[in-house]
Amino acid sequence: MWFFARDPVRDFPFELSPDPPEGGPPGPWVLHRGRKKATGSPVSVFVYDVKPGADEQTQVAKAAFKRLKTLRHPNILAYIDGLETDKCLHVVTEAVTPLKMYLKERAEAGGLKELELSWGLHQIVKALSFLVNDCSLIHNNVCMAAVFVDRAGEWKLGGLDYMYSSQGNGGGPPRKGVPELEQYDPPELADGSGRAVREKWSADMWRLGCLIWEVFNGSLPRAAALRNPGKIPKSLVPHYCELVGANPKVRPNPARFLQNCRAPGGFMNNRFVETNLFLEEIQIKEPAEKQKFFQELSKSLDSFPEDFCRHKVLPQLLTAFEFGSAGAVVLTPLFKVGKFLNAEEYQQQIIPVVVKMFSSTDRAMRIRLLQQMEQFIQYLDEPTVNTQIFPHVVHGFLDTNPAIREQTVKSMLLLAPKLNEANLNVELMKHFARLQAKDEQGPIRCNTTVCLGKIGSYLSAGTRHRVLTSAFSRATKDPFAPSRVAGVLGFAATHNLYSMNDCAHKILPVLCGLTVDPEKSVRDQAFKAIRSFLSKLESVSEDPTQLAEVEKDVHAASSPGMGGAAASWAGWAVTGVSSLTSKLIRAHPAAAPAETNVPQRPTPEGLPAPAPTIVPATPASPGPWETQEEGTDTAEDRSAADRWDDEDWGSLEEAESVLVQQEDWSTGGQASRAGQTSSLDVKSSDSDWSSWDAEGSWEQGWQEPSPPEPPPEGTRLASEYNWGGPEPSDKGDPFAALSARRETGAQLRPDSWSDDNWEGLETESRQGKAELARKKREERRREMEAKRAEKKAAKGPMKLGTRKLD
């Protein structure tokens, strides 16, 4: 039976790259690139081939193998694996590049900054301090060839071939036998004078001085060149001179050298070194210190090397979020570092963290995510947006904090292109309708209109036909002037999405009403829009064959290319209104800004004009979906209009009926929403809109109005005047009853005013009929006041915006 010996090199879990070797330290070692067979992760492999007659070199190589395997320090080359055979030695370390090659590559790319050099030298000196002070070892080979750089730009000390103990254990320093290394030996080793009396670190500190000279000036030609500092920074020159002094006893300990360089004004006293030192000890820092560090980190990242940000800062940021309590402060530096990643790296490292952040209930986290969404939206795919991000983002529409509601609206500009049919055309439109009709903040209502105009091209043809005209028409009746401007600009931005009939019968009548608006900015925009629509109508009138071309986008499928006008509108939306929103919200956090010079809506036909009232900050519409029509419109025009309130957006009417029937309608399973969704006791979440009334402070603008104040003393009721009849009437004031009924939103009874003839008061028969009608109204008024008083006593004032059913 034959037995075949296994090849240990072939079974080694690492393989060498076919690329030529990168060299290595002077001596027998050769540095190769390699990778781990199982994972493909890059490594560096130092290879030594055993040669006959080179026993001394072989012993030095084996000693270096042993030293590197047993020494563990962040600034010493990290050992991963090794292989020792009769023919070769393989030492596998982290992926590194020789310092000489690294400096050459960076010089071709623009050179290294002093910040990077200061931290690199700090690391080498710290490694020497560890060897001398903690391990009592003399490196005996400090030079540029013994220093390597990893992918994060960290400098590592290697070249441990000639290391020996400072305590005399194991004999003296081994013989190098390499001429290139002997030029770094200190002068006291070449003579036998009394200067040979030195500290244990003296020789290594001299060699450190040689390394500093080479880093700034290139390869050292001879020892005499050390007298000229050359390009060494002035802040480092005094400390460098101490290292290359002729007296070995005055050369500082590595620890003291670091302390001197870290003094105020020193070469290593800078933000980059401080950041690195903090990151090395971040696990033992207090939470308050971490918070302050991450808040200040973003300002410094622009001056830090890209490799350092990607490979050292980013892992610490991800760890701080995953296992620490850093919270929202990591977002700004995280997205700043993310700019250095390619698409694949971003998907693997940043996106999982972002998705997890969206589920957080921390308001600061949520608002920062919304503010910085532009930086990562391009890396999110549609399934992730629709299933993992949008369900959490929509909670912001219902938040009690106006700033979060505003940012949520603005974020829809970025999310809309990635939303599916249900989320975009149903869920999002439902929330937009509520914000535009009921939000107490005028700027938020305005931004909702702006956003709807910008995403109109993404909506389906049916949704556009139902929603856009009605939404922009409602905006033109908003008491907040910028909202009216937004409504006009919305029409203009989406002009290509309307048929000619809609332009003539629905849009132009609305715009013409704005030509007498109290605000000149509204009038100016209205005239511009009217001229634009009239120009289209006139062109089609002159040449009817253009109709198909003009209306080509009306029934087309949603497409981002259709919103050409909306693209030019973006500058106005972002720079004009959004900044205004923030200012107004900060100035008036509890209520919407005062709105004056509000145009009075025409009174519907058949009703007496109500007394002038102060318009609240939020538009008090009869219902969240009911568009206020002009009083001059005919019933046929109103029924033909495509209004939002004609659609079944989640069975709103059914939800309102439930609210009216409940005895205590402020409860019913509602819960306050502070970054969390309400738990509602209804069958379908899509059809239950009562959660919108479950907000906190912002619903104050929708309270039930208090009863009308009594008239001033001495004021006579309308019934006390003689209206031309045979005798004064003792009936009550019919206007007071009508006013009470108008405030409760109740529908007029068929026999309330339409059957009355004011001239008939002169006859006895008409008086009897009027008396009967008055008694019915008085009875109804007392009944409504009793119900209102009962509900006030139970839960306080009611909210406006709910239509009462008779």
Side-chain angles (χ1 to χ4, degrees), residues 94-162:
E94 57 186 319
V96 292
T97 302
L99 177 61
K100 186 175 183 179
M101 184 181 300
Y102 179 78
L103 293 177
K104 181 179 179 181
E105 292 175 354
R106 291 300 300 270
E108 294 173 354
L112 263 72
K113 301 178 181 179
E114 282 192 9
L115 293 178
E116 299 176 69
L117 296 175
S118 66
W119 175 241
L121 292 174
H122 184 284
Q123 292 176 295
I124 298 303
V125 178
K126 197 170 182 179
L128 287 177
S129 178
F130 167 73
L131 293 175
V132 171
N133 299 317
D134 299 335
C135 303
S136 298
L137 294 173
I138 306 300
H139 187 275
N140 197 32
N141 191 27
V142 180
C143 61
M144 185 173 290
V147 180
F148 303 88
V149 184
D150 67 6
R151 60 179 185 171
E154 305 278 279
W155 291 18
K156 309 285 184 175
L157 183 60
L160 308 183
D161 305 60
Y162 309 107

Side-chain angles (χ1 to χ4, degrees), residues 745-790:
Q747 301 294 330
L748 289 174
R749 297 172 58 90
D751 59 343
S752 58
W753 292 104
S754 59
D755 294 337
D756 292 342
N757 185 352
W758 290 94
E759 295 180 357
L761 293 176
E762 300 176 358
T763 66
E764 196 67 32
S765 59
R766 296 298 183 184
Q767 289 182 358
K769 190 173 182 179
E771 180 69 17
L772 180 62
R774 186 191 65 79
K775 290 181 179 180
K776 289 182 178 181
R777 289 194 297 273
E778 288 293 329
E779 181 180 355
R780 176 60 177 169
R781 183 176 64 83
R782 287 193 296 269
E783 179 183 347
M784 295 300 296
E785 289 179 351
K787 290 179 64 176
R788 186 186 304 118
E790 181 182 355

Side-chain angles (χ1 to χ4, degrees), residues 563-614:
S568 62
W569 189 31
W572 172 83
V574 175
T575 60
V577 177
S578 59
S579 59
L580 174 66
T581 306
S582 301
K583 293 178 182 178
L584 291 177
I585 289 176
R586 285 194 296 268
H588 306 278
E595 298 158 359
T596 58
N597 297 330
V598 179
Q600 296 294 327
R601 295 184 176 87
T603 305
E605 296 179 358
L607 291 179
T613 56
I614 299 176

Side-chain angles (χ1 to χ4, degrees), residues 117-118 120-126 128-129 133 201 204-206 208-209 211-212 216 232 235-244 250-263 266-269:
L117 296 175
S118 66
L121 292 174
H122 184 284
Q123 292 176 295
I124 298 303
V125 178
K126 197 170 182 179
L128 287 177
S129 178
N133 299 317
W201 56 79
D204 277 348
M205 297 307 286
W206 169 277
L208 175 64
L211 172 64
I212 294 175
F216 291 98
I232 298 177
S235 58
L236 185 58
V237 169
H239 309 297
Y240 160 79
C241 293
E242 291 181 352
L243 299 178
V244 295
V250 300
R251 295 172 196 156
N253 184 285
R256 188 167 70 86
F257 177 81
L258 278 181
Q259 184 178 357
N260 294 339
C261 291
R262 292 276 295 135
F267 179 67
M268 298 180 185
N269 183 26

